[in-house]
Amino acid sequence: MFTIRLAGVVGGVDNRYPYVRRLCRDYIVEGQAPAFTVRATEEDITRQLAEVGGSARPYGENLCIYRAICRKMPLYGAFLMHAAVVEVDGEAYVFTAPSGTGKSTHVRLWLQHFGPRARVLNGDKPLLRFEGDTLYACGTPWQGKENLGCNEMRPVRGVCFLEQAAENRIRRLSASEAGRLIFRQVLIPPEEDAFDCFWSMLDKMLATVDFYLLQCNCEPAASRLSYLTMRRKKNAEDQEGLPAAPSGQ
Amino acid sequence: MLKTKKGFLLRRLGNEAMVVAIGEASKSFNGMIRLNDTGAFYWKELEKGSSEDDLTAKTLERYDGVDEAAARQDVRAFLASVAVALDELPDA
């Protein structure tokens, strides 16, 4: 049994195998009362392993544990998104797509391009949460095959859906288009109370966050295009933030 | 009588209405069904329990100048589009 803090929420993990505790080591907190506690039964683990086609029970347990955590999280203001998140100059850029599309590859282009200005916040399964009207991406111990990530939270500058293509192209998505695509990339809580909390966050996210569709190859130009496009919006906002000219009264 | 199945929820996302499956229901249906305003109206009736005849009558009440055949055709098309989310119950 141990306690971790994810996306600002303290949760207990009643584990059977040591693997999940080791995985969570950067997130363990002491002396704080957990908002909830999760555990996986041997049957849960067997079912999970059948689903992913594995046999290592400690690994199966860790997947069950995170799923159980993510089903609770909406009640405490956070939810899971299947995505790779890269941080540049303190802001989070979220890339999402079905597994195998090239999220990690695209993020690697960003790391190469920006060097020390960039790092991976989470390579696979970050949590998202609102603080006021700002959406934050939060690191978690579940960060993908390459195990890239850190225990930090950063404001989200934009969310980009990825598709493979021969030529690089990017465009803004309407909230309705983004809503259609985001469904497959989030975990829908099975309980109605958690679902309603999740749904209101999703609705707020679609109304307040900028979404893009990036069709891209693996050339460095792809990362320039995605960065400049997601960034340009910010530059325009900064301009708007200048004091307005006197109205001539 | 037709009634919506447990676990299928009508919700709004932005200005769009849709039905989402949660829990057990999501095992048989993974995703969402988008509804227009009429569809959302039908759905709310089906949450209470309704039938093709009921919905056709309600459509005629709600919209002037619609003939019964057209209304029934609309209702049938709608019921087919949400069939996965409906239970057929014996009439009381």
Side-chain angles (χ1 to χ4, degrees):
Chain A
M1 175 86 187
F2 60 98
T3 305
I4 53 177
R5 183 164 53 225
L6 297 179
V9 183
V10 177
V13 178
D14 183 9
N15 58 316
R16 291 164 178 267
Y17 301 96
Y19 174 76
V20 65
R21 186 190 174 113
R22 207 160 59 238
L23 184 81
C24 293
R25 60 188 176 272
D26 294 342
Y27 293 79
I28 289 178
V29 292
E30 307 280 350
Q32 295 193 41
F36 57 85
T37 295
V38 295
R39 59 184 61 82
T41 63
E42 290 295 343
E43 296 83 73
D44 293 336
I45 297 172
T46 302
R47 209 173 312 125
Q48 179 71 51
L49 286 171
E51 216 175 281
V52 299
S55 62
R57 301 195 70 79
Y59 177 71
E61 179 183 44
N62 111 81
L63 296 180
C64 290
I65 293 290
Y66 195 40
R67 181 183 286 188
I69 289 172
C70 291
R71 285 174 168 184
K72 290 274 180 205
M73 273 291 171
L75 295 169
Y76 307 95
F79 64 100
L80 169 73
M81 183 161 180
H82 179 219
V85 183
V86 60
E87 170 190 349
V88 173
D89 301 338
E91 289 187 300
Y93 297 80
V94 178
F95 295 95
T96 183
S99 299
T101 305
K103 293 186 292 288
S104 305
T105 307
H106 191 73
V107 161
R108 202 172 311 121
L109 293 175
W110 278 55
L111 296 180
Q112 284 161 7
H113 184 79
F114 290 103
R117 279 168 68 195
R119 67 172 165 174
V120 177
L121 194 71
N122 186 287
D124 194 45
K125 293 190 172 100
L127 289 164
L128 300 177
R129 77 168 301 139
F130 276 101
E131 293 284 334
D133 286 332
T134 305
L135 184 71
Y136 284 80
C138 312
T140 73
W142 290 271
Q143 45 194 29
K145 282 197 276 289
E146 288 154 340
N147 198 27
L148 292 174
C150 52
N151 185 359
E152 298 285 355
M153 56 192 282
R154 293 287 179 262
V156 171
R157 159 71 20 218
V159 176
C160 199
F161 293 92
L162 290 186
E163 280 178 12
Q164 291 176 1
E167 300 292 324
N168 293 316
R169 224 179 347 202
I170 191 167
R171 68 175 177 88
R172 276 291 291 277
L173 292 175
S174 68
S176 161
E177 289 174 303
R180 215 160 298 204
L181 290 170
I182 207 168
F183 248 74
R184 273 161 269 164
Q185 305 302 328
V186 289
L187 183 114
I188 313 268
E191 309 285 347
E192 193 166 341
D193 52 352
F195 172 80
D196 281 330
C197 298
F198 160 75
W199 197 256
S200 66
M201 288 186 278
L202 189 66
D203 196 38
K204 185 170 175 179
M205 180 181 177
L206 288 169
T208 58
V209 174
D210 298 327
F211 287 90
Y212 303 84
L213 176 67
L214 174 66
Q215 295 165 302
C216 66
N217 55 36
C218 306
E219 306 290 327
S223 59
R224 274 201 301 281
L225 179 64
S226 58
Y227 174 73
L228 289 174
T229 308
M230 293 164 94
R231 187 72 192 169
R232 191 175 302 133
K233 176 88 188 329
K234 174 168 170 66
N235 292 342
E237 276 168 14
D238 289 348
Q239 295 289 317
E240 281 166 24
L242 293 171
S247 64
Q249 282 281 334
Chain B
M1 187 180 72
L2 295 168
K3 202 166 190 307
T4 56
K5 280 184 190 161
K6 188 174 181 297
F8 286 90
L9 307 174
L10 174 67
R11 291 290 184 274
R12 282 196 166 272
L13 199 56
N15 47 24
E16 290 180 295
M18 58 189 70
V19 170
V20 188
I22 66 166
E24 285 296 314
S26 67
K27 290 178 184 165
S28 60
F29 179 77
N30 181 11
M32 55 160 144
I33 307 168
R34 272 157 203 271
L35 302 182
N36 59 21
D37 284 348
T38 309
F41 167 74
Y42 289 155
W43 183 270
K44 284 179 201 150
E45 294 297 317
L46 288 161
E47 283 177 341
K48 294 178 268 180
S50 189
S51 67
E52 184 185 306
D53 288 346
D54 267 1
L55 290 178
T56 305
K58 291 242 157 62
T59 309
L60 293 172
E61 263 171 47
R62 199 162 181 243
Y63 298 101
D64 285 340
V66 179
D67 68 75
E68 180 171 348
R72 189 170 292 275
Q73 201 179 346
D74 262 21
V75 168
R76 278 197 186 145
F78 172 77
L79 291 174
S81 72
V82 297
V84 65
L86 299 180
D87 273 331
E88 195 153 358
L89 303 177
D91 289 322

